[in-house]
Amino acid sequence: LLGFDQEAWLDAQLSASQARGARWRLIGQQVMMAQLSFTRGATYLNPDQWDGYRPARERLYRHLADNYIDNVVVMTGDIHSSWAHDLTADPWTADYAAGRGIVGVEFVTPAVSSPGPLGEFPTPQQLAPLQFLPVLAPHTKYAELVQRGYVLLDVT
């Protein structure tokens, strides 16, 4: 997703933001950053997002962790569904209760007019696997795959 020049620029901007004491680091970008895998990372559902660029994502997460860069909020564009995630290099071993291993959060906005990945009228069979989301994807705090709209984020 990022060339090496862009990656270096992003790292520098994040470090400079932390050094000058900015309270928040907001990153707007186009595709889901959090892992989307129901096999604990053995396979990924969509390589056309950051899952297809795992080394780049790992370098970004490592830069945030190694440099103690906090209060990172990633705002992801339209992927026709809504999500909220804790961002962590390994969502299946992170200590969510203590916040260890979490480098930021991500909010994914839905489409306004396009249907989500399950279509406009999903069947009960399509919706059934979502009940297992807390176990399969413990970093996913919210997922809405049907309703459309927008996200309003207040940062205080």
Side-chain angles (χ1 to χ4, degrees), residues 113-138:
S113 59
S114 298
L118 301 180
E120 293 197 50
F121 305 105
T123 66
Q125 292 82 6
Q126 287 175 299
L127 294 172
L130 295 179
Q131 68 182 316
F132 300 106
L133 208 52
V135 173
L136 298 172

Side-chain angles (χ1 to χ4, degrees), residues 15 93 123:
S15 292
T93 62
T123 66

Side-chain angles (χ1 to χ4, degrees), residues 21-156:
R23 181 75 176 121
W24 296 99
R25 272 140 289 289
L26 305 176
I27 302 171
Q29 52 95 48
Q30 70 278 30
V31 293
M32 189 182 292
M33 184 175 283
Q35 297 87 337
L36 187 55
S37 172
F38 298 139
T39 59
R40 298 181 63 85
T43 60
Y44 290 93
L45 297 176
N46 186 358
D48 196 26
Q49 56 194 35
W50 282 78
D51 283 339
Y53 304 87
R54 287 182 286 175
R57 178 176 56 205
E58 290 167 9
R59 286 190 299 271
L60 174 59
Y61 288 0
R62 193 173 331 109
H63 179 78
L64 295 171
D66 290 351
N67 293 283
Y68 305 100
I69 299 171
D70 60 0
N71 294 334
V72 175
V73 178
V74 175
M75 298 169 297
T76 296
D78 168 17
I79 64 165
H80 301 209
S81 51
S82 300
W83 302 78
H85 301 105
D86 284 327
L87 296 176
T88 177
D90 186 347
W92 302 279
T93 62
D95 184 348
Y96 295 100
R100 281 192 289 277
I102 298 168
V103 297
V105 296
E106 176 179 37
F107 296 99
V108 181
T109 187
V112 172
S113 59
S114 298
L118 301 180
E120 293 197 50
F121 305 105
T123 66
Q125 292 82 6
Q126 287 175 299
L127 294 172
L130 295 179
Q131 68 182 316
F132 300 106
L133 208 52
V135 173
L136 298 172
H139 61 302
T140 301
K141 305 306 178 190
Y142 177 82
E144 169 54 68
L145 305 181
V146 179
Q147 299 297 313
R148 295 176 249 178
Y150 59 91
V151 171
L152 177 63
L153 179 65
D154 289 321
V155 181
T156 60

